[in-house]
Amino acid sequence: MSMIQSMKNAVRSRSIHVSYVNVGSCNGCDIEILAVLAPRYDIEQYGIYVHNNPREADILLITGAFTPQWEDKLESIWNKIPEPKAAIAIGNCPISGCVFNRRGSFVDPPVAKHIPIAAEVPGCPPRPTEILNAVLSLAPVVFKDYEEKKA
Amino acid sequence: MGDFLYEKDLRMMQYNILTSARHNGVAAAIAGHYGLKKQEVLRMMMERMDMILLENLPARYEVWQATGDAGDETERKLGCELISRYVPLADPQAIDRICADAKERIRKGTPKDEALSEGLQNIREMLRT
Amino acid sequence: MKKVVDVSLPIGPLHPCFKEPARIKCETRGEFVLSAEVELGYVKKGIERIMRGRPWQEVMFLAERICGICSVIHNMTFIETVEQLSDIAVPDRAALLRVVVNELDRIQSHVLANFSYCYTIEHETLAMYLLNLRETAMDMLELITGARVTCAYMIPGGVRFDLRPEDRQTLERSLTHIDTEIARFTAMFKNGPLIGLRSRGIGILTREAALEAHAVGPTARASGIAEDMRLRHPTYRKLGFEPVVYTEGDNYARIMVRFDEVRQSIRLIQTCLEMLPEGLIRGGGSVVAGEATYVGEAPRGELTYFVKTDDYGRIVDISVQTPSIMNIEACAHYMLTGVTSAADVTSTFISADPCVACTER
Ligand code: SF4
């Protein structure tokens, strides 16, 4: 491993920026993501920062069952995120559409049809600890040795 | 309608809002009041209002039924505040003018029904333009 | 005519301050906001459409998922509508337990709303304190109902779980904790000079405008309208409930109403626990054909359910009017007009506690 790569690994492991986007959820999952910010779970002690700005994000958390308004917009948000990047689907909604995926509704799940999803956290809603755990275990897989793996 | 850079065409979504039972009732009531077709009223609403106002129409209509245009019978019959403030489809000043006109004519001795129907006719014309 | 508008300033749909997507379009002159519009459609799922033709056992869970923040009140109002149209009686103990859970939900929702406001005006310390306090309320919800967000605690004729004696003690202890902490945070909010500068006199909603847009809940009560649907609820009447009213109508008043209501909710729960009789928590009854309109008080204001059922307990027709519809409308068309800086647009919007998920359903 080159020296630059090991430096990058060290830096990246302690600075993960997270952004979240709601593509038609019931808010249940969003407030559980917010709860992760609370001092009880203290997401920042792991070097994860929630900015909610796609341009400086590394990880995109997606909640909700994909409504038609997002068709082009979600992809443009995804394109704005700089590499390396990963998307995590939070809750049943982006995975299967949860209770909303019935005849007559406007939703169009799963979100994996529209952008690549790296990990899924099922639950309606998942507990804050599960969300935290997903981010923590996905980050090294995606970001460690990113340049060498790509080459 | 011009092209949008970012926004999509919102008309389908606006129409979805208006299809619910309560909104449909409001549109039908307004159409009945002014002698318009319901489709016409729906089209006007979609063109002149933003989405949150569309969502709020039933509540606003209920408030008008309870308290709006309370002072004056002519105003109530013409629905002056209804069409200019509570369901803002028309310009308030123009509506005030039509309303004052109708009142003036009643005072001068024109039969009430005639003045009112003429007032409604005027409002209808104005809504259509 | 010469154009008077300098800039059309779009905010959203994705914005660091917003928990949910909404698009605010402000027409501004310099930074002074002349008028604002809100465009939605980002979370429209069509819940009312999928509810039609399904048995109440399914609709109950769909109703809860209209809004994740105030799921308990959606559950409660739907169930009470169904109870009303088919004449199902609720045992006393269950009725009081419903109030306990509902008020816990109100506490966590109000604390979350105040957290969002403090976060938006960049007072992160107070925001984090509040968010941590909210976890205590969430624990209590989980202790009683078994879930943090979507609890489905109430069912026609009663509630699903009893309050065990040992849980009751924990609940009482937590309530005292929340009470002392909230008193401290209210004082911090009241006396913070910078908070005052960013909140007092900003985003004013006059009483007339509030009446015209039919604003409800804390937003209306901060503008001097003493309207609270809990006044009409039989159980709350027994508890001697009085609404909290402020008259300023600015951001500061809206936040203070919520702080005061949290403490009021704590009192209500304590009274409930004192009055709690022994007995059953579930009665009987089955859902019959009929239709009813029922109004409940959600954390954000009045929540109306219109439900029509058939003989098999299926929902034939349903329509839901959520409080955020009225409040966001009042916010967009009255509060935001005349806001003097673009930075206050987001904080004013958040102070009305908008919940886009239930606005669009
Ligand atoms: S998974 Fe459940 S809690 Fe999460 S957004 Fe969907 S319905 Fe709401």
Side-chain angles (χ1 to χ4, degrees):
Chain A
M1 196 195 304
S2 73
M3 202 161 93
I4 281 205
Q5 185 67 68
S6 55
M7 270 166 71
K8 277 185 174 170
N9 284 351
V11 171
R12 276 192 190 132
S13 69
R14 301 293 297 170
S15 113
I16 303 163
H17 290 241
V18 170
S19 163
Y20 52 87
V21 51
N22 172 345
V23 293
S25 83
C26 81
N27 258 346
C29 289
D30 298 65
I31 55 170
E32 293 298 67
I33 295 175
L34 267 188
V36 176
L37 287 175
R40 170 171 313 176
Y41 304 104
D42 197 9
I43 194 168
E44 299 200 348
Q45 69 177 309
Y46 304 105
I48 304 173
Y49 306 95
V50 179
H51 281 297
N52 212 13
N53 179 356
R55 293 233 186 245
E56 54 177 322
D58 302 307
I59 287 184
L60 183 68
L61 304 182
I62 295 172
T63 61
F66 209 82
T67 51
Q69 266 272 39
W70 285 102
E71 237 146 54
D72 44 344
K73 296 189 180 96
L74 184 62
E75 215 179 299
S76 84
I77 287 173
W78 178 245
N79 290 336
K80 277 176 194 156
I81 302 178
E83 297 276 350
K85 61 188 172 185
I88 306 183
I90 304 289
N92 288 349
C93 274
I95 302 174
S96 67
C98 202
V99 287
F100 308 124
N101 191 6
R102 308 279 173 91
R103 196 156 42 79
S105 76
F106 302 128
V107 300
D108 179 25
V111 172
K113 272 199 296 204
H114 307 273
I115 61 169
I117 298 283
E120 291 172 339
V121 189
C124 184
R127 296 183 68 83
T129 40
E130 286 167 0
I131 299 173
L132 189 53
N133 196 0
V135 177
L136 283 178
S137 42
L138 180 73
V141 180
V142 177
F143 300 128
K144 195 155 181 276
D145 299 337
Y146 173 75
E147 276 78 12
E148 285 192 351
K149 269 191 265 172
K150 205 174 76 176
Chain B
M1 210 176 256
D3 276 348
F4 294 109
L5 285 177
Y6 180 79
E7 204 103 53
K8 290 203 298 188
D9 186 356
L10 296 175
R11 270 174 296 175
M12 197 55 222
M13 270 164 259
Q14 290 175 329
Y15 187 69
N16 283 341
I17 292 175
L18 290 174
T19 47
S20 98
R22 291 170 68 107
H23 291 84
N24 230 328
V26 172
I30 289 178
H33 196 128
Y34 294 104
L36 292 158
K37 281 201 233 82
K38 201 177 84 191
Q39 298 308 330
E40 274 180 301
V41 174
L42 290 182
R43 205 202 62 232
M44 281 179 221
M45 284 174 172
M46 278 156 64
E47 273 170 11
R48 298 178 198 176
M49 295 176 177
D50 65 340
M51 281 164 113
I52 188 68
L53 193 58
L54 289 180
E55 285 272 12
N56 201 11
L57 284 181
R60 286 186 152 233
Y61 187 71
E62 271 164 28
V63 177
W64 175 76
Q65 276 183 325
T67 59
D69 284 327
D72 189 287
E73 207 209 321
T74 322
E75 282 181 19
R76 178 92 194 173
K77 284 264 170 61
L78 289 179
C80 290
E81 286 193 342
L82 169 69
I83 206 75
S84 61
R85 277 179 57 201
Y86 289 95
V87 184
L89 283 171
D91 176 37
Q93 273 139 24
I95 292 287
D96 280 350
R97 235 178 295 127
I98 293 175
C99 205
D101 209 45
K103 273 194 228 164
E104 181 72 25
R105 293 183 47 158
I106 292 176
R107 209 168 47 83
K108 282 204 180 133
T110 321
K112 227 176 192 175
D113 292 344
E114 202 186 306
L116 281 179
S117 68
E118 200 141 306
L120 284 177
Q121 172 79 27
N122 286 343
I123 294 181
R124 183 158 59 230
E125 302 276 275
M126 204 188 61
L127 287 176
R128 281 211 174 116
T129 50
Chain C
M1 204 173 87
K2 197 164 172 297
K3 210 168 167 237
V4 283
V5 172
D6 284 353
V7 196
S8 177
L9 178 74
I11 299 177
L14 202 62
H15 187 278
C17 295
F18 293 175
K19 295 189 295 287
E20 298 155 278
R23 191 170 165 79
I24 311 179
K25 291 191 271 183
C26 303
E27 303 277 285
T28 60
R29 187 179 62 224
E31 272 204 281
F32 184 86
V33 180
L34 295 169
S35 69
E37 283 184 2
V38 177
E39 296 291 3
L40 305 166
Y42 297 95
V43 267
K44 183 127 191 131
K45 304 178 284 280
I47 297 186
E48 280 156 333
R49 288 167 54 134
I50 38 183
M51 277 174 172
R52 298 210 177 100
R54 293 187 184 277
W56 67 262
Q57 289 93 330
E58 262 181 69
V59 174
M60 175 181 148
F61 296 104
L62 277 166
E64 204 179 34
R65 280 162 182 76
I66 287 178
C67 176
I69 304 180
C70 41
S71 60
V72 170
I73 185 72
H74 278 275
N75 187 205
M76 180 163 163
T77 314
F78 175 71
I79 294 298
E80 287 186 351
T81 319
V82 170
E83 275 169 2
Q84 196 188 38
L85 68 84
S86 38
D87 263 330
I88 300 174
V90 186
D92 278 349
R93 189 177 169 87
L96 286 172
L97 281 177
R98 279 183 183 181
V99 171
V100 170
V101 173
N102 187 21
E103 290 307 313
L104 273 174
D105 190 53
R106 191 181 312 276
I107 291 175
Q108 65 89 3
S109 171
H110 278 354
V111 171
L112 183 75
N114 285 0
F115 151 80
S116 307
Y117 181 75
C118 293
Y119 205 66
T120 313
I121 62 169
E122 297 283 335
H123 199 303
E124 243 183 84
T125 319
L126 186 50
M128 284 305 156
Y129 282 159
L130 285 169
L131 196 57
N132 208 26
L133 188 63
R134 176 173 172 270
E135 285 302 308
T136 316
M138 293 301 270
D139 283 348
M140 289 306 107
L141 265 181
E142 190 177 5
L143 189 75
I144 301 176
T145 67
R148 282 167 58 94
V149 176
T150 42
C151 330
Y153 184 60
M154 292 148 207
I155 43 172
V159 296
R160 289 208 302 186
F161 307 108
D162 204 352
L163 183 67
R164 287 169 301 190
E166 64 268 27
D167 291 351
R168 183 181 164 150
Q169 274 169 11
T170 326
L171 179 60
E172 273 161 359
R173 238 178 295 130
S174 305
L175 285 180
T176 347
H177 172 70
I178 297 179
D179 199 15
T180 48
E181 292 286 274
I182 274 290
R184 195 157 70 88
F185 300 153
T186 316
M188 278 170 75
F189 190 84
K190 246 190 195 153
N191 303 330
L194 289 177
I195 296 179
L197 279 178
R198 288 231 37 196
S199 322
R200 276 182 223 255
I202 289 174
I204 290 178
L205 179 71
T206 56
R207 200 186 136 89
E208 291 70 45
L211 285 173
E212 189 176 306
H214 198 273
V216 288
T219 312
R221 290 199 281 279
S223 297
I225 302 171
E227 188 67 41
D228 195 316
M229 291 304 137
R230 281 178 283 177
L231 288 170
R232 304 197 198 157
H233 194 281
T235 323
Y236 280 98
R237 274 218 224 112
K238 264 192 273 171
L239 298 172
F241 166 80
E242 284 288 329
V244 181
V245 181
Y246 276 66
T247 49
E248 291 95 331
D250 52 2
N251 288 357
Y252 178 80
R254 282 189 280 279
I255 303 299
M256 286 308 289
V257 166
R258 287 197 199 100
F259 271 128
D260 287 357
E261 284 193 2
V262 169
R263 293 166 76 184
Q264 185 191 39
S265 295
I266 295 170
R267 295 289 107 70
L268 282 172
I269 299 178
Q270 280 164 344
T271 331
C272 275
L273 289 179
E274 272 162 31
M275 286 167 61
L276 205 63
E278 287 302 316
L280 290 173
I281 55 159
R282 264 179 101 155
S286 61
V287 178
V288 296
E291 59 177 81
T293 309
Y294 187 85
V295 186
E297 176 81 11
R300 287 164 182 73
E302 89 180 50
L303 170 67
T304 316
Y305 265 76
F306 165 77
V307 177
K308 194 171 164 195
T309 52
D310 68 2
D311 280 326
Y312 308 102
R314 278 185 309 215
I315 306 296
V316 182
D317 202 355
I318 184 166
S319 77
V320 187
Q321 187 176 33
T322 53
S324 288
I325 297 177
M326 288 82 102
N327 285 344
I328 297 183
E329 208 266 341
C331 174
H333 296 142
Y334 301 97
M335 283 182 215
L336 288 181
T337 316
V339 161
T340 47
S341 109
D344 291 335
V345 172
T346 45
S347 69
T348 307
F349 188 66
I350 297 288
S351 82
D353 200 2
C355 172
V356 182
C358 56
T359 310
E360 307 200 52
R361 307 182 297 286

